[in-house]
Amino acid sequence: MAEKVAFVTGGAQGIGEAISKRLAKDGFAVAVVDLNVDKAGEVAQAITSDGGEAIAIKLDVSDRDAFSAAVDEAAEKLGSFDVIVNNAGLGPTTPIDTITPELFDKVMHINVAGTMWGVQAATRKFRELGKKGKIINAASQAGVVGNPNLMLYSSTKFAIRGLTQVAARDLAAEGITANAYAPGIVKTPMMLDIAHQVGKNAGKDDEWGMSTFSKDIALGRLSEPEDVAAAVAFLAGPDSNYITGQTIIVDGGMQFH
Ligand SMILES: NC(=O)C1=CN([C@@H]2O[C@H](COP(=O)(O)OP(=O)(O)OC[C@H]3O[C@@H](n4cnc5c(N)ncnc54)[C@H](O)[C@@H]3O)[C@@H](O)[C@H]2O)C=CC1
Ligand SMILES: CC(=O)C(C)=O
């Protein structure tokens, strides 16, 4: 069995898939966790075919009790619990007048509550096992500055940076760290959908929609999911032990702080 176990939500595709595969390469046994358990199973299978260790777990991150049970299942089946990556999220495009109470509740429940339940469940498990665990949450460059058409989504990502800072304060005395990663414009199904919607809302095409986000990338290219996975691997490993409460921006130089 691998010495360390990582639990990655939204692991079935996009950034979460790249994180799952990267952490497996770095020696973690990985719980690939997603609503879409069939796709999560394919990612776990690809990891095991490559000589790593992984299982798939079905979870809706907005269900607090189910989250707790999924953490127990991962720890029991993989033999430890060391790192949680709260990566799952929705990315709706929402011009201001399109936000309804129902959509607000849904996105807040998945993005914000779904991260908070992960922090709670992981903290309980770290304490149970006496681990100095690592909590790693998905923020976004859109959680650092406002982006067009993303009011609801941006609100959840600002919230995730805030809850990460509070977790870092509250858990530091126990040696548990909490950090966030803020990807820029990453080639995944979520971003392709945002580019499509933003283009459509302006009466333009997907390429125009993508260019409204990508024009300020200093390094001159969109991000690959693996660019983000590399930063998460750093946060999951021992070289980041003295870092907590931070948001690492992985955006190819869209913003400088
Ligand atoms: N793609 C991008 O450009 C950026 C993405 N991000 C963030 O990175 C994270 C991953 O994004 P992508 O890979 O692009 O998204 P994606 O939409 O391609 O993949 C998201 C995964 O999360 C899963 N998921 C959705 N709701 C779930 C739920 N309730 N419970 C469990 N799993 C659920 C989906 O089934 C899917 O496998 C998200 O938190 C996103 O907000 C942040 C900045 C930029
Ligand atoms: C999807 C996202 O997080 C963006 C555009 O930053």
Side-chain angles (χ1 to χ4, degrees), residues 144-214:
V144 183
V145 299
N147 278 208
N149 283 198
L150 295 183
M151 180 183 277
L152 178 52
Y153 176 75
S154 273
S155 303
T156 67
K157 295 300 179 178
F158 273 81
I160 287 167
R161 289 177 53 229
L163 74 85
T164 302
Q165 290 186 13
V166 174
R169 285 262 174 232
D170 284 355
L171 300 173
E174 297 169 73
I176 298 169
T177 62
N179 292 291
Y181 53 101
I185 308 302
V186 194
K187 280 190 253 168
T188 69
M190 177 187 288
M191 192 59 227
L192 295 174
D193 180 62
I194 290 173
H196 172 70
Q197 297 297 337
V198 168
K200 196 169 122 197
N201 290 341
K204 304 267 173 64
D205 61 11
D206 295 13
E207 202 180 320
W208 183 91
M210 188 64 90
S211 72
T212 64
F213 291 96
S214 61

Side-chain angles (χ1 to χ4, degrees), residues 63 102 129 145 209 230:
D63 180 336
E102 293 73 26
L129 301 177
V145 299

